[in-house]
Amino acid sequence: MTDVMPDPLTLAILLPLFGAIAAFLLPRAAPAIGLGAVVATAAAIAVLGHLVVQAGTIFVPLGGWGAPLGIELRADGLALAMLGLTALIALGVGLGALAAFAGETEVGGQPMARQRAFFWPLCLLLLTGMNGVYLSNDLFNLYVMLEVISLAAVGLAVLGGTVAALRAGLAYMYASLLGALMMLLGVGFVYLQTGRLDLAGLAGAPDSAALSAAFGLMLVGLALKTALFPLHFWLPEAHANATAPASALLSALVVKAGLYILLRLAEAGPFPGEAILTLMGVLGTGAVLWGGVQALRAERLKLLVAWSTVAQMGLIFVALARAGLEGLSDSWRAAALLILAHAVAKAGMFLAAGRIKDVIGHDRISELDRSAVRPALAQLAFALAAISLIGLPPSLGFIGKWSLMEGAMMAGNWHWVAVTMAGTLLSVAYFTRALTGFLRFDRVRAPLDEHRGWALADAPPVVLAGLAVGLGLAAGPILAVLDLGTPFGAIP
């Protein structure tokens, strides 16, 4: 722990916040402001990374008032990895949004200029909340930042302006409000029991029924916000009916905030009892199976990708449950790797699906082979992202899944191995539906086999999907970053 200047930590939160305000006030300059704010935030994170590498864990009390009275920011390897991931995805999706929202024609229910004007303030507000969650070191600040994320996410979900998007956004808002209520009740119970809300104080709290109830309430709230089965009702339609850049942010980033908070709660401890952890594993298994089956039945490409998010969130919850039950640091690292792998791959996949829909004119899976125009690079990006989400080598998804299964096999927990393999086989099945649609070609109904050339809109999904595969080759350095400050060493 080293006392350093607060600039990098506070700038990682304030830069996107000020950028969101500026983009809202100057809508014509919103794209330039948005990209500039993302790049500036990435630069602040790079400086912070240098400090974390030197010091391990950094604590910064805002205004000179530290815990338990004041607000204290904290950065370690886990926070740094999530900050870097978020900046990378925000930059990639932002570049994709430049092409997706180009022109003035009306798409869905909103003119393109209006979508472009509102996307950037919402994107930057989301970046503010995400970075705030990663750097927060007390439960109430985590709650506040989680609500900032929800506010931006609901706005992004309804950005398309269609009836379906508005209906899905309303369901998302109701789920988010209920999740916020559960989270706030849990935070209140913790304060009544311990008299403080900082995570360090929570680590020293004795086990009690009230504290277990608090964790249970927070877990329900976070399960709603991360769409854990059977509380996933809002996610498929919200992600499938949003614009492609919004869907990429919702799936890659928003649902990760709750997972990150669970990791921090596990680090602080005492983590929920065995019964709650077992239930979490059972619900995760249900999500893997139900999400996979629904993805197999999906008629639209974006809906397939959205249902796959439900399944993959379930697998991450299985990893968290196994880690909590067995108390092994390697299990927590596997969960963190799965979070990182899913975020990068899903951002690339949603951008690719949106690009395919824009070029072909629809995303009906049964008719993907009837188009006379072939968005070949977008299809390549979709396939690369699928490789990581399925868990094929050398992708980062493979490293995460293998770490999970290896630990389960060594512990003799073959049921977790079976769940992981079942999810993998289902993902092979539903992604194959889309990939075979790309390869088939009906020469009677679509006689013109035109392969669309390279365009700016193809670059972000290809790069993100390529990273999802290539980062598996850098798993060693990624794990080294995750271990800075030994965040997982503190987990029992």
Side-chain angles (χ1 to χ4, degrees):
M1 295 184 294
T2 303
D3 188 17
V4 298
M5 293 296 291
D7 291 349
L9 285 84
T10 55
L11 284 177
I13 299 173
L14 293 180
L15 282 172
L17 176 61
F18 291 152
I21 296 172
F24 179 76
L25 295 176
L26 302 169
R28 292 184 180 275
I33 293 172
L35 285 177
V38 171
V39 171
T41 303
I45 293 170
V47 174
L48 175 60
H50 176 70
L51 297 174
V52 170
V53 169
Q54 290 183 325
T57 302
I58 298 172
F59 294 94
V60 174
L62 296 184
W65 290 88
L69 296 178
I71 296 176
E72 189 175 64
L73 300 181
R74 169 193 178 181
D76 59 9
L78 177 60
L80 179 61
M82 296 301 292
L83 285 166
L85 170 79
T86 300
L88 172 68
I89 291 174
L91 181 60
V93 173
L95 292 173
L98 291 179
F101 297 139
E104 302 296 331
T105 57
E106 182 170 318
V107 174
Q110 295 288 344
M112 195 68 77
R114 184 176 300 175
Q115 292 187 20
R116 182 168 58 245
F118 285 109
F119 171 80
W120 290 101
L122 291 170
C123 175
L124 292 172
L125 185 62
L126 174 63
L127 186 58
T128 301
M130 296 298 299
N131 290 351
V133 164
Y134 302 146
L135 295 172
S136 293
N137 197 37
D138 68 89
L139 288 176
F140 187 74
N141 208 42
L142 283 170
Y143 162 76
V144 171
M145 290 300 173
L146 199 58
E147 291 316 290
V148 172
I149 292 171
S150 297
L151 178 64
V154 171
L156 288 168
V158 302
L159 190 62
T162 62
V163 173
L166 293 172
R167 186 183 296 115
L170 190 62
Y172 184 12
M173 183 181 70
Y174 290 152
S176 181
L177 289 173
L178 182 57
L181 178 60
M182 295 294 103
M183 181 73 180
L184 186 58
L185 283 173
V187 171
F189 276 23
V190 170
Y191 185 75
L192 288 174
Q193 183 68 16
T194 65
R196 57 194 296 177
L197 293 173
D198 60 299
L199 295 179
L202 189 62
D207 289 324
S208 67
L211 206 55
S212 295
F215 272 111
L217 286 168
M218 288 190 287
L219 179 59
V220 172
L222 294 172
L224 265 167
K225 288 182 175 291
T226 53
L228 175 63
F229 175 87
L231 305 177
H232 65 284
F233 59 91
W234 59 268
L235 185 146
E237 293 297 327
H239 288 196
N241 289 292
T243 61
S247 296
L249 292 174
L250 293 172
S251 185
L253 297 182
V254 173
V255 294
K256 304 304 183 299
L259 296 172
Y260 177 86
I261 292 174
L262 281 174
L263 282 172
R264 285 304 189 197
L265 289 176
E267 179 189 2
F271 206 60
E274 184 175 344
I276 294 179
L277 287 167
T278 301
L279 176 61
M280 193 163 73
V282 170
L283 296 180
T285 300
V288 169
L289 300 177
W290 182 251
V293 170
Q294 293 302 312
L296 272 172
R297 300 177 62 223
E299 297 180 355
R300 294 169 46 212
L301 189 61
K302 286 187 68 180
L303 189 59
L304 181 153
V305 179
W307 274 111
S308 74
T309 297
V310 174
Q312 288 137 15
M313 289 298 99
L315 183 62
I316 295 173
F317 268 96
V318 166
L320 291 172
R322 176 183 168 270
L325 288 168
E326 299 174 7
L328 299 175
S329 59
D330 287 344
S331 303
W332 297 108
R333 293 187 185 91
L337 286 175
L338 287 172
I339 291 172
L340 296 172
H342 178 267
V344 179
K346 196 50 69 80
M349 180 169 281
F350 262 118
L351 288 179
R355 175 66 176 158
I356 292 168
K357 182 179 179 180
D358 290 342
V359 173
I360 294 179
H362 65 83
D363 67 343
R364 294 183 295 275
I365 297 174
S366 62
E367 299 179 17
L368 288 176
D369 59 331
R370 302 178 188 179
S371 173
V373 180
R374 292 303 179 91
L377 286 176
Q379 292 172 344
L380 173 64
F382 192 99
L384 290 173
I387 287 174
S388 183
L389 293 173
I390 290 170
L392 299 177
S395 67
L396 190 59
F398 167 76
I399 302 298
K401 282 190 177 182
W402 179 253
S403 299
L404 174 61
M405 290 196 297
E406 182 182 33
M409 288 186 289
M410 292 179 64
N413 293 325
W414 293 97
H415 53 288
W416 297 129
V417 177
V419 170
T420 306
M421 290 304 300
T424 299
L425 292 174
L426 282 170
S427 63
V428 169
Y430 56 69
F431 283 133
T432 298
R433 286 186 61 211
L435 296 176
T436 54
F438 299 157
L439 296 175
R440 292 192 310 264
F441 183 66
D442 190 331
R443 295 189 178 278
V444 175
R445 282 173 285 191
L448 299 176
D449 189 6
E450 176 190 343
H451 291 266
R452 182 63 57 90
W454 183 89
L456 175 62
D458 293 315
V462 169
V463 171
L464 287 171
L467 282 173
V469 175
L471 284 175
L473 301 175
I478 292 173
L479 287 171
V481 170
L482 288 173
D483 283 337
L484 291 172
T486 61
F488 301 108
I491 295 176

